[in-house]
Amino acid sequence: MTALVTLFGGAGFLGRYVAQELLKAGARVRLAERDPKRAFFIKPLGGLGQTQFAAADITRAESVARVVQGSDAVINLVGILKGDFEAVHIGGARNVAEAARDAGVGALVHVSAIGADADAESRYARSKGQGEAAVRAVFPQATVLRPSIIFGPDDHFVNRFAQMARMPVLPVIRGGVKLQPVFVADVARAVAAAALDPARFAGRTFELGGPETLSMADLNAWIAKAAGRDPAILSIPDGAARLMARLGGWAPGAPITWDQWLMLQKDNVAAGGAEGFEAFGIKPAPLEAVAPGWLVQYRRHGRFAKQPA
């Protein structure tokens, strides 16, 4: 009998890649979503009877307990960038860990984020840190993965900046902050490995950063060039950006929220000495190796445009 892995958040950006890695390894995958129909597109990626769909909301403990029954491993990918961080990142994470413990599940993988800190000013980072602590208190042998900013064809990060690069002027907030963008497929491989081989990875925390560290300004300039655009890069002074962030709490369409502003006060890079991709035998792909393949859509003539030098 092959392993049964219950995957919370499998219909999301990272989740679809994790599901594909699990299916490729021969695992049976139970996709747990508030609306299971959102994950139906994953079914053709597996063989006959290899996928199952279940309704669950991680903020409701009873629904979580029901869907983890019979699982060999559980993966929690659920995270939000705005809304009730405490309910999802702390309460939801605890619900998943408690359900996994009570069901006698052999492996639990909890995906957090670089910068997670129970004492952080940012509600996002603070709730991520407190969520990790809640998971560890209930399921000490959980594997915690902290990726940096994840990029890929369907991301809301690189694609957002590529869309903005179509404008004559590209405004950049906190241009000096350092990032370590990481390819979604590489993170998915690490998640799947941790779930399917708990003897190697249980009880450890890994920080998953890409192979290069870029400033926000340099990253935007690279994206613009790869998209065949040449906007003027305008660095927004911190005072003005701070005001925009304050307004972002109530003004629709504001470019940045206050919580995002707080997160940008620190670099988003793996901590020195932290375990990372090398423990999984994964050599992470750099942006320039994969991103041009989908950034062509932002060029003036799409795939028929002249390639950047």
Side-chain angles (χ1 to χ4, degrees):
M1 182 68 71
T2 54
L4 171 60
V5 182
T6 295
L7 178 59
F8 290 90
F13 168 53
L14 173 59
R16 65 194 66 186
Y17 287 86
V18 173
Q20 190 165 359
E21 289 295 326
L22 293 169
L23 293 168
K24 190 170 26 174
R28 293 171 293 147
V29 180
R30 179 183 291 153
L31 293 132
E33 296 283 336
R34 284 185 297 176
D35 179 5
K37 293 193 297 294
R38 293 184 62 242
F40 282 0
F41 70 93
I42 292 173
K43 189 171 184 177
L45 301 179
L48 183 64
Q50 204 178 357
T51 53
Q52 184 182 43
F53 303 90
D57 180 343
I58 68 167
T59 65
R60 297 176 56 201
E62 69 281 1
S63 73
V64 174
R66 183 178 65 252
V67 301
V68 303
Q69 292 299 316
S71 302
D72 297 292
V74 171
I75 300 172
N76 180 19
L77 304 178
V78 181
I80 57 175
L81 294 175
K82 59 181 180 179
D84 193 342
F85 293 123
E86 290 72 21
V88 175
H89 293 165
I90 305 172
R94 183 185 297 110
N95 288 340
V96 173
E98 289 178 344
R101 176 201 61 193
D102 295 345
V105 172
L108 171 62
V109 180
H110 177 73
V111 176
S112 182
I114 283 180
D117 181 352
D119 298 317
E121 276 193 88
S122 157
R123 286 181 59 217
Y124 174 86
R126 185 169 65 248
S127 64
K128 282 289 191 179
Q130 292 173 353
E132 289 182 13
V135 169
R136 285 267 184 245
V138 173
F139 201 116
Q141 290 305 301
T143 303
V144 175
L145 302 180
R146 296 174 171 175
S148 184
I149 302 295
I150 302 177
F151 68 87
D154 305 313
D155 70 34
H156 295 293
F157 183 71
V158 169
N159 284 291
R160 179 187 179 191
F161 291 134
Q163 290 173 340
M164 293 172 61
R166 290 168 164 169
M167 303 184 296
V169 177
L170 177 58
V172 176
I173 293 174
R174 295 290 292 164
V177 72
K178 298 293 194 297
L179 308 169
Q180 205 171 353
V182 60
F183 185 38
V184 62
D186 294 328
V187 177
R189 289 168 62 197
V191 173
L196 297 175
D197 194 359
R200 287 180 62 196
F201 304 110
R204 295 157 69 183
T205 297
F206 301 89
E207 300 213 341
L208 306 179
E212 52 195 352
T213 299
L214 301 168
S215 71
M216 183 71 81
D218 287 344
L219 176 61
N220 273 268
W222 184 89
I223 293 170
K225 182 178 179 182
R229 305 288 174 162
D230 188 27
I233 306 292
L234 174 64
S235 180
I236 304 297
D238 278 357
R242 184 184 178 92
L243 178 60
M244 286 190 288
R246 281 294 190 192
L247 294 174
W250 55 270
I256 186 173
T257 68
W258 180 247
D259 204 68
Q260 289 168 339
W261 169 256
L262 292 175
M263 289 166 59
L264 286 173
Q265 302 312 299
K266 293 184 177 180
D267 293 337
N268 192 275
V269 298
E275 290 192 284
F277 278 117
E278 67 283 349
F280 297 89
I282 296 171
K283 186 176 181 180
L287 262 171
E288 60 266 23
V290 289
W294 78 82
L295 288 176
V296 292
Q297 65 185 299
Y298 299 102
R299 297 181 189 144
R300 285 183 174 82
H301 302 289
R303 295 186 180 276
F304 295 94
K306 182 179 179 182
Q307 298 290 325

